[in-house]
Amino acid sequence: MKVLKFGGTSVGSPQRMQDVSKLITADGQSKIVVLSAMSGTTNTLVEISDYLYKKNPEGANTIINQLEQKYIKHVADLYHTEEARQKTLKFMHEEFDYLRSFTKVHFTSFEEKVILAQGEIISTNMVTNYLKECGINALLINALDIIRTDKNAEPDLNYIKEKTTKALEANPGYQIYITQGFICRNAYGEIDNLLRGGSDYTACLVGAAIQAEEIQIWTDIDGMHNNDPRFVEHTEPVRQLYFEEAAELAYFGAKILHPTCIQPAKFANVPVRLLNTMDPAAPGTIINNDFQRGTIKAVAARDGNICIQINSSRMLLAYGFLRKVFEIFETYKTSIDMVCTSEVGVSVTIDNRNHLQDIVNELKKYGTVAVEEDMCIICIVGDLASDNVGFEAKASQALSDIPVRMISYGGSEHNISFVVKAEDKKCTLQALSNTLFN
Ligand code: ADP
Ligand code: ASP
Ligand code: MG
């Protein structure tokens, strides 16, 4: 069985929901379909939560009512029969009454997660009702019953496997099994989510759990491009990526994939195909276990990094210095992304600033500390193995006019990373595209 995931734009209007329904039923094969919320809805739910945090229930109510009007119109446009319309309208009224009920409670981060979950709950109900209206044998499986995280907020793979398998076994014979992306329960049974963009993660978790034939991520572009199309002109789709290459690109900012979604697919060795809902015949990108030698695949960029440099003559010829430095980050549960060392100093990047001040205070015991915020990690992915001579030189040549703060090379066979200031991100990406791909 295949697992297909459709993102926010792919289900962003009644017309798109109808197109997706046609696409998933055309071959008559049974499949699992993971859906995001309609595009813009999760952002609106974040805005509603924001008003509630700020203790402004009127502000929240205004946005809830506007969103409700939008969905009432969507219901009118999506269905052909009065029966399906009335059924979905009843569901919609209950949903929005439920959202309004939060304007009367003491608001916590738990309520926020519940509010954010409603986008996917609404979209999956709309599409399931539409499929049924079209005579398709469709079943909605509640993601809150099958997707759970553990005490470390990591997906609980055994639980997901057991629950997904049981849900399918208990309901055989359906053509389409629909479920919500993004939403889950945590180790305590509370409603939670897999972070923004998390529907990709759900699809890969479900695909790995059932050892799917293939996981397909359907979005608004024809696969992974060789550079970020939001910042660079003339990017091209990459036809094939090795799991590790795709994982690095996702982690380092290629927004088409959730940062950690490739891991479960990689471990289960289930290929992931990226496809374009707006152009279903386009070949897209296949991500699998084949590693193509000698090619540079793509460039990606991740914002919001902080560089911390610790300089100390005590590091010279000393052992144990790095351990002491890294222990400070461990104490504050802050993970380090990049590391560069010299005889008298070490530079690291982090993206979590929650304990920045505490970390800096502690580091000062060991040396002089300098912090630079708003840094961007630029990552080039491909075959960096030794026979691919000259690749680093090409990359460095592209960056000859750009002040580079850190370079990391050799940590993996697939990635070379540069740290530049956020203001230099666009020109760095363009320069790399011009030199590496054009
Ligand atoms: P969805 O809502 O379907 O999950 P996303 O907006 O999360 O879609 O991801 C698709 C978007 O990712 C594209 O529209 C594109 O702007 C952006 N993107 C960023 N980097 C890349 C890349 N390297 N290749 C393709 N798309 C990319
Ligand atoms: N709806 C969620 C978001 O906007 C999850 C997703 O689209 O993948 O982040
Ligand atoms: Mg996405």
Side-chain angles (χ1 to χ4, degrees), residues 5-9 35-43 45-46 116 119-120 181-183 193-202 255 258:
K5 174 258 171 177
F6 292 86
T9 359
L35 299 181
S36 291
M38 295 178 85
S39 59
T41 296
T42 309
N43 286 345
L45 296 171
V46 169
L116 292 196
E120 271 72 10
F182 178 59
I183 69 176
N193 61 60
L194 301 171
L195 305 181
R196 295 303 304 272
S199 297
D200 303 333
Y201 208 3
T202 307
K255 194 202 167 216
H258 176 281

